[in-house]
Amino acid sequence: MALPLSMSTILTLVVVVASLGLNAEARAFFVFGDSLVDNGNNNYLATTARADAPPYGIDFPTHRATGRFSNGLNIPDLISERIGAEPTLPYLSPELQGEKLLVGANFASAGIGILNDTGVQFVNMIRMPLQLRYFEQYQQRVSGLIGEEQARRLVRESLVLITLGGNDFVNNYFLVPLSARSRQYSLPNYVTLIISEYRKILQRLYELGARRVLVTGTGPLGCVPAELAQHSVNGECAAPLQQASALFNPQLVQLLTQLNSEVGDHVFIAANTNEMNLDFINNPQQYGFVTSKIACCGQGRYNGIGLCTRLSNLCQNRDLYAFWDPFHPSEKANKLIVQQMMIGEEKYMHPMNLSMIIAMDSRV
C-alpha cells in the first residue's frame, strides 16, 4: 500500500515533474472503452461503427482517417504526449509487434458499452469481456518478449484509461422509444445495473495487474449535437439524457471510492468529464469556440443528423467548434479535457489529478 503524502509534498513533486516536461515517467499506457478513445481497432472489423474515411483525420498529423472519431488527436493521443510516451497502437494492428508492445496498447472499440447488449446494431465490436481477454493475451505476448516478471512490472507501473457508459444510454436505453431496456428497468434501476456491471469490469482490471486507472464518467449526454437535433426545441439539452448523466456520474465516483477502500490504495481515479465538457458547452466563447451546439461535420439540425461523411457539411476551422461530429468532441475540446485531467482540481479529478499521480509514482 502506498504511503500517504502531504498535499504540500505532492504539490512540490508536481512542480518538479512539471519542470521536467512530465517526461520523467514514460510508462506503458493501456486504453479500454468506446469510440471516445478507440484509435483504430474497428478498422479491422466488419462493423458500421468506424471512422476510417475522410473527413475524419483531416487535422491528424498525416491528414488521413485513422479510425479515431476525431478531426485530429483523441484523448489517449494527448495523454500519451503528456506522459512522454508514443501513441498507443490499436491492439488489432499488425504493427503492434516487438518493442512497440512495450509502449502499451489500445483495446477500445467504438460502439461498445458496459453491457454486452449495448451497440448490437453495429454488429461486430470488441466488447469488454474480449477487451479484457486481449489484455491477458497482451501480457502473455510481452512475457515472451521480456520475461514474466518484467511483464508484470510493466503492467503494474502502467497508466490505464477506461471510458464507458455513454453508449449504454445513447445506444441502448434511449436508442428508440420503449427500448427493451427501458421497458425492463426504470432509469434509476438501469443505472444501478450498469454500475454493478462496471464494478466487475474494474475488479477484473485490478486482477490483471492495473494499479493506476483513470475512469471517465459520461459527458453531458443530452447536450451533444445528435441529441439536440432529435430532442431540442430552442437549443436546450435533452432532459432525459441529462438525468441519466446526473444519476450515473456520482454513483460511479462512489463506486471508485469503494473499490479504492477495498484495495487500500488510490488505484481508481475519477475523471469528471461531465464537468469538463460543461465548462465549454455552457461558455463556448470563453474557450475560443463559436458554438458548442453545432457539430463541425454533419447534416440537418445542428449538423447532428447521421454520420460525418464526405457529403456532410464541413466547417473550415475545426478549432472554433466544440464538437467535431454529432457525438464526439473536436481535437481542441479534447485538449481542454486532457488539460483538466492533468492539473484539474477535485471538482474535475478525484482523489487526485494526473500530474499528482505522476509525481507520486516518481518518488523512487
Side-chain angles (χ1 to χ4, degrees), residues 4 38 61 68 72 84 93-95 113 137 152 187 207 217 224 269 293 312 320 331 361:
D38 183 358
R68 292 164 172 82
S93 170
E95 295 180 36
Q137 184 184 85
R152 277 199 297 267
L187 182 59
E207 290 169 2
V224 302
I269 311 297
K293 298 184 185 299
S312 299
L320 299 180
E331 178 185 277
D361 294 347

Side-chain angles (χ1 to χ4, degrees), residues 247-280:
L247 288 170
F248 176 79
N249 288 316
Q251 291 186 46
L252 178 60
V253 174
Q254 185 178 21
L255 169 63
L256 302 182
T257 301
Q258 290 171 352
L259 289 171
N260 284 337
S261 177
E262 291 168 13
V263 302
D265 203 352
H266 296 314
V267 171
F268 299 100
I269 311 297
N272 191 337
T273 43
N274 192 65
E275 287 293 335
M276 296 175 191
N277 278 270
L278 281 175
D279 283 349
F280 55 77

Side-chain angles (χ1 to χ4, degrees), residues 162-216:
I162 184 166
T163 294
L164 289 170
N167 286 330
D168 293 286
F169 295 109
V170 173
N171 288 319
N172 192 329
Y173 194 86
F174 292 108
L175 180 64
V176 294
L178 299 176
S179 67
R181 286 296 189 180
S182 65
R183 292 197 307 272
Q184 186 180 11
Y185 294 97
S186 67
L187 182 59
N189 287 342
Y190 182 69
V191 171
T192 300
L193 169 69
I194 60 178
I195 288 289
S196 68
E197 292 301 310
Y198 210 167
R199 170 184 276 272
K200 297 172 188 175
I201 292 168
L202 295 173
Q203 286 175 322
R204 184 60 183 148
L205 266 179
Y206 182 82
E207 290 169 2
L208 291 171
R211 292 296 181 268
R212 290 290 186 213
V213 185
L214 295 180
V215 185
T216 69

Side-chain angles (χ1 to χ4, degrees), residues 33-36 38-53 56 66-69 108-113 118-127 167 171 307-308 325 327-328:
D34 57 27
S35 61
L36 289 167
D38 183 358
N39 67 350
N41 278 307
N42 279 24
N43 292 357
Y44 303 95
L45 303 174
T47 179
T48 57
R50 52 200 303 149
D52 57 345
Y56 285 98
T66 61
R68 292 164 172 82
F69 286 75
S109 178
I112 69 133
T118 291
V120 292
Q121 66 271 30
F122 300 123
V123 191
N124 286 316
M125 300 173 296
I126 312 173
R127 294 179 173 83
N167 286 330
N171 288 319
L307 301 173
C308 172
D325 69 10
F327 290 103
H328 303 95

Side-chain angles (χ1 to χ4, degrees), residues 64 84 160 243 273 339 342:
R64 293 181 178 178
V160 175
Q243 184 188 6
T273 43
Q339 177 71 358
M342 293 301 303

